[in-house]
Amino acid sequence: MVIAMIEEAGFRAGRRVLVEPLEREGACPSCGVFSSVVHSRPVHRVRDVQCGGGALEVLVRKRRLVCREQQCSRRSFVQTTEQLPLRARVTTRLVEDIVDALAAELRAVSRVASQAGVSWTTAMRIVSGTAALEGNVDRRLVRRLGVDEHRFRTVRYLKDHDGKVIRVEPWSIVFTDLDTGAILDIVDGRRGQAVRDWIGARPRWWRKRIEMVAMDMSSEFRRAVRTVLPKALITVDHWHVVARANQMITDVRRRRSHDLHGRRGRASDPAWKYRKLLTCNQERMSLAQRGRLKEIIAAGIELGVVWGIKEHVRQLLRTRTINDFQRAWAALEHAVKATKMREAKSLFATLKMWRRELLTFCRSRVTNARSEAANLTAKNLKRIGRGYRNHGHYRLRLLLYTAAKQAC
């Protein structure tokens, strides 16, 4: 384009620039015949990148050319350029700046739109087109799949048709490529049917490439994966297994406090005062911490028993061969059978249901850590964006961000 006129409108108002295309002829979009006969020269206001940090108002004098082909149904057409395609009101370079700003870092769409001088809907429409193109999961070669859920919005209480108040928990399921950490897609829901539908919608060659799926201890997710991916191995995340063992210790400690004192724990009780020690790893304790742990065990032998069971679970997760796993499992089973506490029985029943997945983890050491990192990215985006009401916008924003990270 060539600049026809520059008008200074004051320091605060910025500049007003009138431009027009440098080429004086163009090809008809219908028949392709070139023409230079001018029908009219309308002026349009478009959005462009800032110049020198100040506001810039760009006026484009487009040429409407007459199609000289008599057999063509189109009588006239507007001349287009690389920066201004047909019916565009935003230049191509400004579109690229908006996409780069939203893809490079976690920023609110409203902030980027305000800086570019466009509306929120315009910026989001640009994001929608770019994310739909870059975030096509069917084009990616995925070998290890991660499945995890997180809360999309806060809990709400709504009334149904009968006037009954129901609790609504908006959840989302995040699918992650465990080899690269890229977010593949985000599905609204928390049930196994959502996982089954999403994986089932992928092409057959895509599903055959999946070798392993990592997840939390969710029976619904496991059942759904086994249905659509019968040949894929399932591994359970070890962090959640240890967290379940620590929860067993907490349940026993709270129950003992109510049984002995009829109240919650207080700072005068060793089991409450040093409660964090019961969840610490044995090999990382100092001499002072070991002395406090002995004080806790002396105050209640049950706490020492469940702490030992928790350590047996950790020993089980550290194994890497089938023989070591079988020996550690036998030691854990013997320790659980030696006690009558229902909390330990419940933990072992849960681990027994996931024994095959635990063995897969011990042999492969594949975790769901990158899915947890993807969840953290989603939560940070939600906080910066002050929350999202529309799950579709939330999904597109995350897909654009993770596509840029994957390209880098």
Side-chain angles (χ1 to χ4, degrees):
M1 289 190 177
V2 61
I3 298 178
M5 177 186 65
I6 299 179
E7 178 183 347
E8 295 286 351
F11 179 76
R12 292 186 178 181
R15 293 182 175 183
R16 179 181 299 164
V17 180
L18 178 63
V19 298
E20 62 181 357
L22 186 62
E23 298 292 336
R24 296 185 176 275
E25 65 177 1
C28 177
S30 299
C31 61
V33 176
F34 281 85
S35 174
S36 59
V37 181
V38 179
H39 177 275
S40 59
R41 300 173 70 188
V43 178
H44 300 280
R45 181 181 290 106
V46 299
R47 290 292 184 183
D48 198 5
V49 295
Q50 294 183 358
C51 179
L56 179 65
E57 183 180 2
V58 180
L59 303 176
V60 180
R61 183 181 293 162
K62 296 183 179 180
R63 297 187 184 93
R64 176 171 287 277
L65 304 177
V66 178
C67 183
R68 303 175 63 181
E69 178 60 38
Q70 297 182 357
Q71 302 297 328
C72 183
S73 59
R74 187 186 295 270
R75 297 303 178 185
S76 63
F77 59 92
V78 177
Q79 190 178 9
T80 60
T81 61
E82 180 182 356
Q83 287 295 326
L84 282 177
L86 184 64
R87 297 185 180 89
R89 291 295 182 266
V90 181
T91 61
T92 304
R93 58 187 180 185
L94 181 58
V95 171
E96 294 175 353
D97 286 352
I98 294 174
V99 172
D100 292 342
L102 293 175
E105 56 182 335
L106 295 176
R107 294 180 60 187
V109 178
S110 57
R111 287 295 188 91
V112 177
S114 177
Q115 182 180 359
V118 298
S119 63
W120 183 91
T121 53
T122 300
M124 203 62 209
R125 185 170 61 250
I126 295 173
V127 170
S128 302
T130 308
L133 179 63
E134 298 292 338
N136 189 1
V137 63
D138 294 339
R139 299 188 305 171
R140 302 193 180 190
L141 303 179
V142 182
R143 293 174 50 250
R144 298 175 178 178
L145 180 66
V147 183
D148 198 8
E149 78 280 356
H150 75 279
R151 196 188 298 272
F152 166 59
R153 293 183 61 180
T154 57
V155 177
R156 294 180 295 173
Y157 295 90
L158 304 177
K159 289 185 177 181
D160 56 7
H161 300 288
D162 300 332
K164 183 180 178 181
V165 178
I166 58 176
R167 179 187 174 99
V168 179
E169 296 190 15
W171 288 81
S172 297
I173 302 175
V174 180
F175 296 91
T176 312
D177 185 357
L178 297 180
D179 292 327
T180 62
I183 299 176
L184 301 176
D185 205 347
I186 303 173
V187 179
D188 189 13
R190 196 189 183 186
R191 314 299 297 182
Q193 185 64 36
V195 177
R196 189 182 301 110
D197 294 342
W198 187 87
I199 299 179
R202 308 278 71 79
R204 185 177 180 182
W205 65 267
W206 193 94
R207 299 196 302 268
K208 283 188 175 181
R209 285 184 59 90
I210 301 296
E211 301 174 358
M212 189 171 297
V213 180
M215 64 178 65
D216 305 341
M217 290 189 291
S218 173
S219 301
E220 285 198 38
F221 288 177
R222 180 177 60 179
R223 191 181 308 111
V225 170
R226 285 180 178 175
T227 302
V228 292
L229 299 175
K231 295 183 179 181
L233 298 176
I234 300 177
T235 174
V236 63
D237 190 76
H238 66 296
W239 185 90
H240 293 84
V241 178
V242 177
R244 177 66 180 82
N246 289 334
Q247 183 62 38
M248 172 197 63
I249 297 178
T250 302
D251 294 340
V252 173
R253 180 176 54 80
R254 291 175 177 175
R255 177 178 59 78
R256 288 188 71 260
S257 179
H258 283 280
D259 292 344
L260 296 177
H261 309 290
R263 54 171 173 78
R264 298 177 59 184
R266 296 178 181 176
S268 58
D269 304 332
W272 191 92
K273 184 178 180 180
Y274 304 127
R275 62 192 182 279
K276 294 296 183 181
L277 285 178
L278 295 172
T279 60
C280 291
N281 301 338
Q282 181 181 8
E283 64 275 6
R284 295 184 180 180
M285 288 185 180
S286 62
L287 294 178
Q289 289 176 329
R290 292 176 186 272
R292 298 189 192 104
L293 181 62
K294 291 181 180 179
E295 182 181 349
I296 298 175
I297 297 175
I301 190 62
E302 287 185 341
L303 294 177
V305 172
V306 293
W307 181 81
I309 293 175
K310 185 262 297 185
E311 289 299 317
H312 278 296
V313 172
R314 294 186 59 251
Q315 293 291 336
L316 176 71
L317 296 175
R318 275 204 290 261
T319 60
R320 293 180 178 269
T321 62
I322 298 179
N323 293 334
D324 294 342
F325 181 86
Q326 298 294 349
R327 285 192 292 267
W329 183 270
L332 173 62
E333 185 176 7
H334 178 73
V336 172
K337 288 183 177 180
T339 180
K340 297 181 179 180
M341 287 182 288
R342 60 179 183 273
E343 294 85 359
K345 302 290 185 182
S346 176
L347 171 65
F348 186 74
T350 302
L351 297 182
K352 194 174 181 180
M353 293 174 55
W354 292 86
R355 180 172 179 173
R356 182 167 58 176
E357 289 75 17
L358 287 171
L359 178 59
T360 303
F361 161 76
C362 293
R363 298 184 63 186
S364 64
R365 314 307 295 182
V366 175
T367 69
N368 212 18
R370 290 193 167 177
S371 295
E372 300 293 343
N375 270 341
L376 179 60
T377 300
K379 293 176 182 177
N380 290 335
L381 175 65
K382 184 171 58 177
R383 295 187 187 104
I384 293 173
R386 302 297 188 272
Y388 278 83
R389 297 182 180 179
N390 190 305
H391 188 274
H393 294 160
Y394 181 58
R395 170 181 174 272
L396 291 173
R397 182 72 176 87
L398 272 175
L399 290 181
L400 177 63
Y401 178 75
T402 190
K405 291 294 182 182
Q406 177 66 13
C408 294

